[in-house]
Amino acid sequence: MANDGDILMLEAPPQPSRSAEFIDALPYIDDDYGHPKVKEEVDRLVEDEMRRSSKKPADFLKGLPPLPSFDFHNHPMLAREYERVRAGKPPVALDMSRYGLEMPPMNKRNDETAWRQALQKAQRLLQHQVIRLENLELMSKHGADVWKQHNQRLETYLSRMQALAVEQNEKIETVNRERKYHQQNTAFELNALSAQWKELCVKNIEIQTACAKIESNFEELRREAAERLEFGC
């Protein structure tokens, strides 16, 4: 009992501040979530915590380092294309007119320079077709091996990524296994402390009831003593 006459009760742990991130979930011990009412209450508490949390869904990347700024100083073509994509503009259509072979217009049919330019253009197109045929021959000769090497590199990369994924999954499984082991071992202590807390609360209530009864008896005896003194006088 305190000096001012109040009954001492077991105090709850201090509540965390609103700015603090406080997590006390024990998923391997708290198995009451399957109850509909408990689930509804838990969902309400989670939503309330999300509203009070300093971390918002829109800011989940705020803790990461900023993205590097793109500098196309030495690549003006890439800079123009980047700005076009940012502005949402459609791509510029390719000019296919240079691939067409046409005769000079009617008013230049007797112009030697116009025919010379048309001949040079025809030679360029012919050379372009020759290069295309050479590329097709090279592809038919070496393309299969190149694709096999490329596929082998992709398979090696896939195997490495799969090994990393397996390693990370094993680490996650190890952490979950340790959490389960510690929580289940701690459950006995938590249950014992919970039972002890309930027992102490019951005893405290019994003490409070007994003290209230003693105070009532004390007041009754004081009243009887006062009456006796009054009649004795």
Side-chain angles (χ1 to χ4, degrees):
M1 181 177 293
N3 296 332
D4 54 359
D6 294 336
I7 302 298
L8 292 177
M9 298 294 291
L10 295 178
E11 296 181 355
Q15 295 295 329
S17 60
R18 289 185 177 272
S19 60
E21 296 294 338
F22 183 72
I23 301 175
D24 61 347
L26 299 175
Y28 295 103
I29 299 177
D30 301 332
D31 54 355
D32 297 332
Y33 190 70
H35 196 279
K37 292 185 178 180
V38 176
K39 182 180 182 301
E40 182 180 357
E41 179 65 16
V42 170
D43 292 342
R44 186 190 65 79
L45 292 175
V46 170
E47 293 177 358
D48 182 65
E49 179 67 20
M50 291 179 64
R51 286 193 299 268
R52 293 188 293 106
S53 176
S54 58
K55 295 181 180 180
K56 302 300 181 182
D59 301 332
F60 71 100
L61 295 178
K62 184 179 292 184
L64 298 178
L67 293 175
S69 59
F70 296 98
D71 185 10
F72 301 105
H73 180 69
N74 297 325
H75 306 279
M77 184 180 297
L78 290 178
R80 291 194 298 269
E81 186 66 13
Y82 179 73
E83 293 299 329
R84 180 194 65 79
V85 174
R86 287 190 59 185
K89 297 180 180 179
V92 179
L94 294 177
D95 184 10
M96 305 297 292
S97 60
R98 62 178 180 174
Y99 298 105
L101 183 59
E102 298 178 358
M103 297 177 59
M106 293 297 299
N107 57 352
K108 292 185 178 181
R109 292 290 174 88
N110 297 325
D111 188 354
E112 182 180 355
T113 302
W115 281 104
R116 192 180 301 277
Q117 292 177 353
L119 178 61
Q120 292 175 353
K121 184 176 182 181
Q123 291 174 346
R124 289 195 299 269
L125 291 176
L126 178 61
Q127 184 63 30
H128 174 67
Q129 296 299 328
V130 171
I131 294 175
R132 290 185 63 187
L133 289 176
E134 292 177 352
N135 289 333
L136 289 175
E137 290 178 359
L138 290 173
M139 183 179 295
S140 62
K141 184 178 181 179
H142 304 288
D145 295 334
V146 173
W147 275 108
K148 288 179 180 178
Q149 294 177 1
H150 179 66
N151 290 336
Q152 289 176 356
R153 287 193 294 269
L154 291 178
E155 290 176 354
T156 303
Y157 180 75
L158 175 62
S159 300
R160 187 164 62 250
M161 292 297 102
Q162 288 176 342
L164 290 175
V166 170
E167 181 181 357
Q168 295 300 322
N169 289 331
E170 290 178 352
K171 290 181 179 179
I172 294 173
E173 185 66 23
T174 301
V175 171
N176 290 334
R177 195 181 302 114
E178 291 178 354
R179 289 177 61 199
K180 183 177 181 180
Y181 173 77
H182 291 301
Q183 289 185 20
Q184 289 180 345
N185 286 344
T186 309
F188 299 101
E189 183 179 358
L190 290 176
N191 292 333
L193 292 174
S194 179
Q196 183 180 1
W197 177 77
K198 293 178 180 178
E199 182 181 355
L200 291 175
C201 286
V202 171
K203 289 183 178 180
N204 218 2
I205 294 174
E206 292 176 353
I207 292 174
Q208 184 179 11
T209 303
C211 290
K213 185 176 181 180
I214 292 174
E215 289 178 356
S216 177
N217 294 336
F218 180 74
E219 291 295 333
E220 185 177 354
L221 292 175
R222 180 183 293 176
R223 187 171 54 257
E224 292 179 358
E227 292 177 355
R228 290 180 181 179
L229 289 176
E230 183 179 356
F231 288 115
C233 295

